[in-house]
Amino acid sequence: MDLRIELDDLTRPAVHELLREHLANMHELSPADKVFALDLTKLRAADITFWTVWDGDALLGCGALKELSPTHGEIKSMRTPVAQRRRGAGRAVLARIIDTARQRGYELLSLETGTHPAFRVAQDLYLSAGFDYCGPFAAYTEDPQSVFMSLRLA
């Protein structure tokens, strides 16, 4: 397997399908008003960088980095298609996001994920990369449907 991570312009149909899968699954696992996943339009914002992970023509996953401030970034839209899991795409895109955050001089990298047991695999991935559980950040508030994690970079 030859993983390739690309800075993505969000124009390819395979990426659109993966994001549809992601949003649909988030709505299955969390109440609608507690889904903070971004749709295609919001991922195209100037403060968001979006990557995809490929093996040849096969899309293995995606992830994004949102700039909250000059020293604080947020991980968004981490997703691996159900049929492509356990191939290292999540870990690869997470490493790219962390490296980019460090290059930008961020001191803190944060994320919000859900509390449903299905989110445990993602939480374990973040913990293995050095993230710790924390309280709400940015505009988030304490909520029984949310888990917050952060990685101190400086």
Side-chain angles (χ1 to χ4, degrees):
M1 182 170 57
D2 185 27
L3 289 182
R4 183 178 77 254
I5 301 174
E6 297 180 1
L7 191 59
D8 201 283
D9 65 2
L10 294 148
T11 59
R12 292 178 273 196
V15 175
H16 296 183
E17 182 55 38
L18 178 57
L19 292 171
R20 276 192 291 275
E21 175 188 308
H22 179 56
L23 285 171
N25 188 232
M26 295 304 95
H27 283 279
E28 291 169 359
L29 299 174
S30 301
D33 65 331
K34 303 301 179 187
V35 173
F36 300 109
L38 302 178
D39 64 18
L40 190 59
T41 302
K42 290 179 181 166
L43 283 169
R44 288 186 169 133
D47 61 349
I48 295 179
T49 306
F50 184 81
W51 293 272
T52 48
V53 183
W54 302 83
D55 181 12
D57 292 334
L59 177 58
L60 302 185
C62 65
L65 175 60
K66 179 178 182 175
E67 183 167 288
L68 299 175
S69 79
T71 59
H72 191 185
E74 179 182 6
I75 294 175
K76 299 296 292 182
S77 299
M78 288 280 293
R79 182 68 179 193
T80 303
V82 172
Q84 300 290 356
R85 294 202 172 143
R86 312 296 301 166
R87 296 181 63 186
R91 187 167 301 282
V93 77
L94 178 60
R96 175 63 57 91
I97 291 169
I98 293 169
D99 287 348
T100 301
R102 282 193 169 109
Q103 290 168 5
R104 290 180 181 177
Y106 294 170
E107 296 171 5
L108 188 64
L109 186 57
S110 302
L111 64 94
E112 182 275 341
T113 190
T115 57
H116 188 281
F119 291 107
R120 187 62 209 191
V121 172
Q123 291 173 32
D124 289 344
L125 172 64
Y126 298 128
L127 288 168
S128 75
F131 284 76
D132 291 311
Y133 293 102
C134 64
F137 61 93
Y140 294 105
T141 59
E142 197 67 51
D143 189 284
Q145 297 293 323
S146 289
V147 169
F148 304 99
M149 302 178 82
S150 65
L151 175 65
R152 178 99 10 225
L153 300 172

